C-alpha cells in the first residue's frame, strides 16, 4: 500500500529557492514539505566544496543526518566562461561573505564591463542531492544557457535573474514571471531528473 505522507525537507535557507522548489514539487502531492525554517536550531555546514556537486552532497548529507529525515539540498550558481567561470560556486558570496544580490550583480557587471557579444554568454547550473539519514541516494544536474545584459531589467526573481536572458527568450528571468521560469530553469531541469526517485520513494512508503 503506498503511504501518502512522507516528510521531505528542502535544506536551504534561501527563501527564493525554497519557494521555487515548493511550487515545482506541489504537483507530487504526497510529500509533507518542510524547509530549514521549520528547524530554527539547525546549523548549516560550511560550503567547503569546489564544485556544485560537492556542495549539494555536503548540504544534503549533513541535513539528513542531523534532522533524521529525507532531504533535498541544492547548490547552484551562475558560470561565465569568459571570466574563468566566475562567480560559479561562489555566486551567493561573490562580493563577500554576507553580500546582497545587488552587491553581487554589481561586482559581476564590473567584471564583465569589457565583454561584448558571445563573451557575455553564461549558464546557470543547479545540482540537487537527495539524501536519507543513511547518506546520499541520488544527485542530479540541470543547466540553462543564455546571455548576460549590461543593465538590469525586471523586478522578479532573485540573484542574477535581472541580468540573465535565456537563449530563445527576450525577457530576463526577473521579467518573465515565476511560473514561466519554473518551467524552463536550471532548477526545473535538475528537479525533473530527481522526480522519478521521489515517486519511487512515495510508492515504497
Ligand atoms: P542555501 O545554500 O541555503 O541553499 P544559497 O543562496 O547560499 O542558499 P547557493 O550557495 O547554492 O545557495 O548559492 C546560490 C546562488 O546562485 C544564489 O544566491 C544566486 O546568487 C545564484 N543563483 C542560483 N540560482 C539562481 C536563479 O535561479 N536565479 C538567479 N540567481 C541564482
Amino acid at each position: 500500500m503506498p503511504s501518502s505522507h512522507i516528510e521531505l525537507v528542502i535544506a536551504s535557507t534561501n527563501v527564493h529557492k525554497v519557494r521555487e522548489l515548493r511550487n515545482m514539487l506541489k504537483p507530487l502531492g504526497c510529500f509533507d514539505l518542510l524547509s530549514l525554517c521549520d528547524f530554527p536550531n539547525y546549523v548549516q555546514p560550511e560550503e567547503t566544496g569546489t564544485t556544485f556537486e560537492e556542495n549539494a552532497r555536503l548540504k544534503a548529507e549533513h541535513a539528513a543526518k542531523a534532522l533524521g529525515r529525507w532531504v533535498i539540498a541544492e547548490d547552484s550558481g551562475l558560470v561565465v566562461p569568459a571570466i574563468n567561470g566566475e562567480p560559479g560556486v561562489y555566486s551567493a558570496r561573490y562580493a563577500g561573505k554576507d553580500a546582497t544580490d545587488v552587491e553581487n550583480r554589481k561586482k559581476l557587471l564590473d567584471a564583465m564591463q569589457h565583454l561584448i557579444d558571445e563573451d557575455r554568454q553564461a549558464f546557470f547550473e543547479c545540482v540537487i542531492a537527495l539524501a536519507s539519514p543513511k547518506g546520499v541516494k541520488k544527485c542530479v544536474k540541470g543547466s540553462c544557457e543564455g546571455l548576460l545584459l549590461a543593465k538590469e531589467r525586471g523586478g522578479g526573481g532573485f540573484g542574477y535573474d535581472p541580468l540573465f536572458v535565456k537563449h530563445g527568450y527576450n525577457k530576463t528571468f526577473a521579467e518573465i514571471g515565476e511560473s514561466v521560469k519554473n518551467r524552463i530553469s536550471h532548477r526545473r531541469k535538475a528537479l525533473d531528473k530527481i522526480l522519478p526517485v521521489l515517486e519511487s520513494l512515495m510508492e515504497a512508503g
Side-chain angles (χ1 to χ4, degrees), residues 77-125:
L78 181 73
V79 178
V80 187
I83 48 170
N84 300 316
E86 284 179 25
V89 290
Y90 304 105
S91 291
R93 43 198 156 124
Y94 190 40
K97 193 173 155 285
D98 296 311
T100 62
D101 286 350
V102 173
E103 290 164 341
N104 286 332
R105 290 198 297 268
K106 180 172 185 318
K107 177 162 178 185
L108 182 64
L109 284 175
D110 289 348
M112 294 184 66
Q113 244 177 29
H114 60 297
L115 300 175
I116 56 164
D117 303 331
E118 308 90 82
D119 282 345
R120 299 194 70 90
Q121 303 223 30
F123 59 92
F124 276 120
E125 189 156 308

Side-chain angles (χ1 to χ4, degrees), residues 12-14 17 47 59 75-76 158 161 181 186-187:
S12 173
T13 50
N14 181 322
K17 273 189 192 181
E47 291 183 32
K59 288 191 262 189
D75 202 62
S76 51
F158 70 100
D161 282 345
K181 181 184 172 192
H186 46 306
R187 197 160 286 110

Side-chain angles (χ1 to χ4, degrees), residues 20-187:
E20 289 185 7
L21 287 168
R22 265 186 192 280
N23 284 334
M24 289 189 266
L25 284 163
K26 235 184 242 161
L28 273 188
C30 292
F31 283 103
D32 280 336
L33 288 178
L34 304 170
S35 80
L36 291 183
C37 298
D38 297 300
F39 303 94
N41 296 326
Y42 174 68
V43 181
Q44 280 194 301
E46 237 189 280
E47 291 183 32
T48 51
T50 55
T51 62
F52 295 115
E53 178 164 350
E54 277 171 20
N55 281 334
R57 284 177 175 274
L58 183 152
K59 288 191 262 189
E61 202 165 35
H62 187 274
K65 281 204 178 113
L67 305 175
R69 289 171 168 86
W70 281 95
V71 158
I72 55 169
E74 69 104 280
D75 202 62
S76 51
L78 181 73
V79 178
V80 187
I83 48 170
N84 300 316
E86 284 179 25
V89 290
Y90 304 105
S91 291
R93 43 198 156 124
Y94 190 40
K97 193 173 155 285
D98 296 311
T100 62
D101 286 350
V102 173
E103 290 164 341
N104 286 332
R105 290 198 297 268
K106 180 172 185 318
K107 177 162 178 185
L108 182 64
L109 284 175
D110 289 348
M112 294 184 66
Q113 244 177 29
H114 60 297
L115 300 175
I116 56 164
D117 303 331
E118 308 90 82
D119 282 345
R120 299 194 70 90
Q121 303 223 30
F123 59 92
F124 276 120
E125 189 156 308
C126 170
V127 174
I128 297 181
L130 170 72
S132 78
K134 288 187 204 150
V136 174
K137 184 173 167 73
K138 180 93 181 167
C139 195
V140 293
K141 192 182 288 183
S143 60
C144 180
E145 286 158 20
L147 275 182
L148 290 170
L149 303 180
K151 224 175 146 198
E152 302 186 0
R153 280 189 352 217
F158 70 100
Y160 301 91
D161 282 345
L163 294 173
F164 184 82
V165 178
K166 183 178 157 89
H167 288 321
Y169 291 77
N170 298 316
K171 293 180 173 176
T172 67
F173 267 6
E175 294 174 311
I176 210 163
E178 194 168 303
S179 61
V180 178
K181 181 184 172 192
N182 284 349
R183 284 204 296 275
I184 61 175
S185 73
H186 46 306
R187 197 160 286 110

